[in-house]
Amino acid sequence: MTQPPQTSPDDAHHQAIRQHNLRAAAENTANEQRFADPQDAGARFPFNGRWTRRDWAHASLFATLGALVIGLVPGFSNAMRASEHAPTTTLSLPLPPLAVAPAKAAAQRSWDLVKVESGQTLGAIFEARGIPAATLHQLLDASKDRQALTRLRPGAELGFDQAGDGRLVAFRYDRSDTQRVELSLAGDKVAEKLVERPVEVRTAVVSGKVGKSLFHSARKLGLSPAVINTLTDDVFKYDIDFDRDVTSGDRFSVVVEQTWREGELIKSGPVTAAVFTAKGKPFTAIRFDRDGKAEYFTAEGRPLKKSFIRSPIQYARLSSRFGTRRHPVLGTSRMHKGVDYAARTGTPIMAAGDARVVSAGWQGGYGNAVVLDHGRGYTTLYGHMSRLGNIKRGQRVSQGQVIGYVGSTGMSTGPHLHYEFRINGVHRNPLQHTMPPPEPLGGAALAQFRKQTAPALERIREVEEIIYATVPAKPSKDDPQVAAASAPGGKKG
């Protein structure tokens, strides 16, 4: 007789758990089948037909959120409606052809500007920029200004347009104040373009004090070196010794023509009128054309140009005066028949007046010397020169022409100019002798002179009244003042 297998208590417990799980799975399956029918949905979510307070709260919340979405998103509802009702149509339209880059774009060049320095040549400038000499010769051969380009003036402005590899694309320079030339390179061809640059000429009054230096103060006010040299070496050289007669408190006023181009001052001159007050004494100069030649006259119509200039050498120190003295070489007391100007060796020496060369060469104790005959019994001698100028005996020289250079030849202890002034062979002191005044303007010329120059003098007077009536009692020496105004009659070019 076979006995049934005996079960342990653990096995009975596991069996009970397994049966319970099977019954739960069967019930879940029956529920899913029952709720699959929509009609039985109410059994899953029972609703008795009345909204509770929670239901109304949920409905209000969802309604508010919907209104916010519609209000905050512009065009939301319109876009939705448009997408639902607006028909869409696709058209095939011809496109315009793509624009080709215009050739004018090449005209917008990137110019690299270079200012010519003293001693620089065009070849050196091209070499410094890495441009081959063959390119330079190509430009020179194509340009009408070959000679001018090979003799550049310091300060001239050149323009270069170079490609990324250094190749020269275009080159420009100024032919004149009103014309600029652009040379464009394309292979072996060079195209020239002429650009007109209009200028405007204005008349201005510039006024200031000398300060520590006339040149420094005048340059600070905008006067060019050429204008300053006109004042010192041409206009007032007969009446004012700028080495000894000018002090820091002296002042100057100049009526000058200024040439402007594209808002930039490019040059000044000539001087139309000027007043220089030295040690409280005013000296006036007015430019006027007489017989087709420009000259400077006083306010009364007398020419400023004298028969002789006061000093035949510029920027020199008076080292020995006229009169008895002890000779520095011989050691004896004797008459010094001239005046000495100490200056560096090589300083130019000018003819004191229009004259004929009597002699030029070695003259004993005078060393290298020149004697000039000015006519009417007046002669001058210039001694101890290091070398003579480009002159010879019998030649005519004009006032201010260089006839030699300072040295220390003959009986001399150092570089200087020995200058003698003689009348009918008699030595006179050149610092004290008064020359006869030149012939003044008269008649119709004087009337025209006064009519033409009166506005310039009046403008100087007005400017000086404005400036110097309000300056402090002790102004700074380095504080020049300027007044510039357009004067009637300005012209445009």
Side-chain angles (χ1 to χ4, degrees):
M1 179 174 162
T2 303
Q3 295 181 348
Q6 298 181 352
T7 60
S8 64
D10 291 336
D11 293 336
H13 176 71
H14 290 312
Q15 185 67 25
I17 292 174
R18 186 179 300 108
Q19 291 177 357
H20 177 269
N21 291 339
L22 290 174
R23 283 195 300 270
E27 291 177 358
N28 290 337
T29 302
N31 290 335
E32 291 177 358
Q33 291 176 353
R34 185 177 65 228
F35 293 136
D37 188 354
Q39 296 178 356
D40 296 331
R44 188 176 182 182
F45 300 100
F47 179 68
N48 56 7
R50 298 180 61 185
W51 283 24
T52 64
R53 186 173 298 175
R54 168 181 283 184
D55 295 334
W56 282 108
H58 288 170
S60 299
L61 178 62
F62 288 128
T64 302
L65 290 177
L68 288 175
V69 170
I70 295 174
L72 294 178
V73 180
F76 177 82
S77 59
N78 294 337
M80 295 297 295
R81 286 193 295 270
S83 63
E84 294 175 358
H85 303 288
T88 59
T89 304
T90 303
L91 298 178
S92 178
L93 299 176
L95 295 177
L98 292 176
V100 182
K104 293 183 179 179
Q108 304 298 328
R109 301 190 181 279
S110 177
W111 293 108
D112 189 7
L113 303 181
V114 175
K115 280 201 172 183
V116 180
E117 298 179 0
S118 180
Q120 270 191 322
T121 63
L122 191 61
I125 296 175
F126 270 63
E127 182 179 359
R129 301 187 66 84
I131 303 174
T135 303
L136 172 59
H137 292 302
Q138 182 183 1
L139 291 175
L140 292 177
D141 292 340
S143 174
K144 301 176 183 177
D145 307 308
R146 180 187 182 96
Q147 186 174 3
L149 288 174
T150 55
R151 298 179 181 178
L152 293 173
R153 295 177 291 103
E157 186 180 84
L158 306 176
F160 294 85
D161 183 12
Q162 293 179 256
D165 57 0
R167 176 177 51 86
L168 183 64
V169 178
F171 171 70
R172 84 178 192 191
Y173 62 92
D174 292 335
R175 177 175 290 170
S176 64
D177 291 337
T178 60
Q179 290 185 337
R180 170 170 288 171
V181 178
E182 296 181 5
L183 300 177
S184 302
L185 289 84
D188 296 334
K189 296 183 179 180
V190 178
E192 178 180 301
K193 178 183 177 182
L194 187 63
V195 180
E196 295 292 341
R197 309 178 71 196
V199 299
E200 180 183 359
V201 179
R202 309 173 189 170
T203 301
V205 180
V206 179
S207 184
K209 286 187 174 292
V210 171
K212 292 183 179 179
S213 164
L214 171 62
F215 187 86
H216 173 76
S217 300
R219 288 292 291 142
K220 195 172 182 180
L221 296 178
L223 293 181
S224 66
V227 170
I228 300 172
N229 291 336
T230 298
L231 296 176
T232 58
D233 304 342
D234 190 11
V235 178
F236 294 115
K237 67 179 179 180
Y238 304 97
D239 300 307
I240 303 174
D241 189 331
F242 285 91
D243 294 321
R244 290 178 293 275
D245 296 342
V246 177
T247 63
S248 59
D250 295 338
R251 68 193 191 205
F252 56 92
S253 297
V254 184
V255 180
V256 63
E257 289 186 353
Q258 296 179 337
T259 303
W260 293 78
R261 183 183 61 205
E262 299 172 359
E264 178 187 4
L265 177 64
I266 59 174
K267 70 177 182 179
S268 298
V271 174
T272 304
V275 175
F276 200 105
T277 303
K279 297 181 180 179
K281 182 179 179 182
F283 296 89
T284 303
I286 306 171
R287 193 172 188 263
F288 180 72
D289 289 343
R290 179 167 66 170
D291 299 330
K293 182 180 179 182
E295 299 181 45
Y296 287 96
F297 298 82
T298 66
E300 294 76 25
R302 290 188 175 275
L304 283 178
K305 182 178 180 180
K306 306 295 193 299
S307 300
F308 294 90
I309 56 179
R310 291 198 59 180
S311 174
I313 186 172
Q314 294 179 333
Y315 314 115
R317 176 176 58 86
L318 183 64
S319 58
S320 183
R321 294 181 177 273
F322 183 89
T324 303
R325 67 164 189 175
R326 185 178 181 85
H327 196 280
V329 176
L330 300 177
T332 59
S333 180
R334 57 189 296 180
M335 182 67 178
H336 188 229
K337 299 179 180 181
V339 293
D340 292 346
Y341 294 98
R344 291 183 177 181
T345 300
T347 302
I349 301 170
M350 300 177 295
D354 298 338
R356 178 180 58 86
V357 179
V358 176
S359 63
W362 191 269
Q363 291 193 32
Y366 290 116
N368 287 325
V370 173
V371 177
L372 300 180
D373 182 3
H374 303 275
R376 297 180 296 174
Y378 293 94
T379 58
T380 54
L381 179 143
Y382 313 79
H384 305 308
M385 295 182 178
S386 60
R387 60 189 178 92
L388 304 179
N390 187 23
I391 60 173
K392 59 183 179 179
R393 182 177 178 180
Q395 176 183 339
R396 299 291 303 183
V397 294
S398 58
Q399 188 180 76
Q401 181 177 337
V402 175
I403 58 175
Y405 301 87
V406 170
S408 186
T409 57
M411 286 195 299
S412 172
T413 58
H416 71 283
L417 166 67
H418 175 76
Y419 174 58
E420 292 184 3
F421 186 84
R422 307 168 183 170
I423 302 177
N424 296 323
V426 179
H427 292 83
R428 300 292 182 88
N429 187 348
L431 301 179
Q432 296 180 351
H433 188 74
T434 302
M435 300 299 298
E439 189 69 22
L441 294 171
L446 179 60
Q448 183 182 0
F449 168 80
R450 289 174 176 171
K451 181 180 179 181
Q452 178 177 323
T453 59
L457 291 178
E458 179 63 20
R459 187 162 291 273
I460 288 178
R461 185 189 63 80
E462 292 175 354
V463 169
E464 290 194 344
E465 285 183 355
I466 294 173
I467 293 180
Y468 302 112
T470 57
V471 265
K474 293 183 179 180
S476 172
K477 294 181 179 180
D478 290 327
D479 185 24
Q481 303 178 48
V482 62
S486 296
K491 52 186 177 179
K492 293 184 179 181

